[in-house]
Amino acid sequence: MKVGAHVSISGSRVSSDDETPPYDDMRNAVHRQLAFGGNCGQVFTTSPQVWAQPELTDEAAEGFRSETEENLEGPWVIHSAYLVNLCTPKDDLRRKSKESMQAELDAAERLGIPYVNVHLGAHTGAGVEGGLDNAASLIDELDVPEGVRILIESDAGSGTKLGGEFSHLAGIIDRTETDIGICIDTAHTLVAGNDLTTPEAVDETVGRFDDEVGLEYLEYIHLNDSKHDVGTHKDEHALIGEGYIGEDGMRAIVNHPDLRDLPFALETPTEDGKGFAWNIEKVKELRDE
């Protein structure tokens, strides 16, 4: 099973014992993933709250690649900065979003990471069709390195944000000439109006996704429970099995024949003394042999 967490790269070193050599920032991610019991996962290459470029030395990139190859089984994915808005009609925000995405794609190539994950963003008045057109044209202006794929993440669907409906995901695939994929966030999918609380509901939702988007585009899953119910459009993650998706829904997701072989990255909170290690172990308990 490919399961892990969104881990931090912060700090000058992470060492579990005196025999472990100092880790630079990127190798912190591998070390933390192992400490949580994960074998794949997600990272920010820099602060997601500001417009900043990844700062990677050759040593850091080479170390991250070798540590990953030696210790992990599943693929990493880079999550783009929160400020990126592919759908925006505003020229300055579009330029900054394009520069940020290009920097992440270049970093992914240096790090040997096959995916860069991004939200479509908000159309802010351009309308759904206009927003999707804006996003597609921006994506097609990017220089995507060989071996790297952009993943569009499903959204909770509040306000003018796009990605909450499967038709938005299908729409961006249809519009772009770039080979893009999809990352489904289970919490976002639930609150956007798709039931995931029972095996029957999961099967129906997966079937609709396949009909509208195509399972061949689904590359990664953000596995999160939700503190809010179906159709509320409120994005707040919960511990695995302790939210509105619940244990039955989570068990159905991680065992579904069309989903079980995909990599799962957790973005769950730390609450009641339960952090990533607890959540990853919970996922493994829900998985059938």
Side-chain angles (χ1 to χ4, degrees):
M1 184 181 190
K2 301 171 189 173
V3 60
H6 181 123
V7 294
S8 172
I9 66 170
S10 64
S12 59
R13 67 173 63 188
V14 172
S15 178
S16 60
D17 55 63
D18 293 338
E19 296 180 357
T20 304
Y23 282 74
D24 54 44
D25 282 359
M26 287 308 304
R27 281 180 282 183
N28 281 336
V30 180
H31 191 79
R32 288 185 172 116
Q33 196 66 256
L34 292 170
F36 292 138
N39 59 15
C40 66
Q42 181 173 262
V43 292
F44 291 123
T45 62
T46 186
S47 171
Q49 306 285 1
V50 297
W51 296 112
Q53 301 288 316
E55 296 181 2
L56 294 175
T57 64
D58 289 341
E59 182 183 2
E62 292 169 7
F64 176 86
R65 291 175 74 122
S66 63
E67 293 273 355
T68 294
E69 184 176 350
E70 292 171 10
N71 296 291
L72 302 181
E73 298 176 27
W76 287 103
V77 57
I78 292 174
H79 196 300
S80 65
Y82 293 138
L83 300 178
V84 169
N85 187 343
L86 303 183
C87 295
T88 182
K90 300 175 182 177
D91 291 340
D92 187 53
L93 180 53
R94 179 184 174 89
R95 176 184 59 80
K96 291 179 179 178
S97 296
K98 179 182 174 182
E99 291 174 352
S100 180
M101 279 297 295
Q102 188 62 60
E104 299 289 16
L105 291 167
D106 293 341
E109 181 182 34
R110 291 184 66 193
L111 294 165
I113 294 178
Y115 303 117
V116 174
N117 179 75
V118 63
H119 293 266
L120 283 172
H123 67 69
T124 61
V128 172
E129 299 301 314
L132 292 173
D133 288 343
N134 291 340
S137 63
L138 190 157
I139 289 171
D140 287 341
E141 291 174 9
L142 295 168
D143 181 12
V144 182
E146 184 177 354
V148 179
R149 196 178 194 191
I150 296 170
L151 301 185
I152 304 299
E153 181 179 343
S154 63
D155 199 88
S158 61
T160 65
K161 291 181 180 179
L162 299 184
E165 298 181 20
F166 292 161
S167 62
H168 299 166
L169 304 178
I172 190 64
I173 291 171
D174 290 343
R175 284 169 169 79
T176 181
E177 297 178 359
T178 305
D179 179 25
I180 62 174
I182 300 297
C183 172
I184 285 291
D185 183 303
T186 54
H188 297 171
T189 300
L190 182 86
V191 300
N194 306 282
D195 195 355
L196 293 171
T197 59
T198 66
E200 296 76 17
V202 170
D203 200 47
E204 190 275 333
T205 294
V206 170
R208 279 193 296 104
F209 177 90
D210 192 25
D211 290 341
E212 295 186 44
V213 184
L215 282 165
E216 66 270 23
Y217 292 101
L218 184 58
E219 295 281 348
Y220 224 104
I221 294 178
H222 284 172
L223 191 66
N224 301 302
D225 213 325
S226 173
K227 292 187 177 180
H228 303 281
D229 207 348
V230 181
T232 56
H233 302 291
K234 295 180 179 180
D235 181 10
E236 193 174 5
H237 298 174
L239 301 171
I240 297 297
E242 297 192 5
Y244 277 88
I245 295 177
E247 285 195 7
D248 288 346
M250 281 292 167
R251 182 180 290 105
I253 291 168
V254 301
N255 289 294
H256 194 281
D258 292 323
L259 308 179
R260 61 180 286 122
D261 292 332
L262 293 170
F264 298 92
L266 280 63
E267 302 166 319
T268 46
T270 297
E271 296 175 344
D272 303 325
K274 301 172 181 178
F276 281 138
W278 183 90
N279 281 278
I280 289 173
E281 183 59 32
K282 183 71 174 181
V283 172
K284 292 177 180 178
E285 291 174 2
L286 294 174
R287 177 66 168 247
D288 297 335
E289 294 296 333

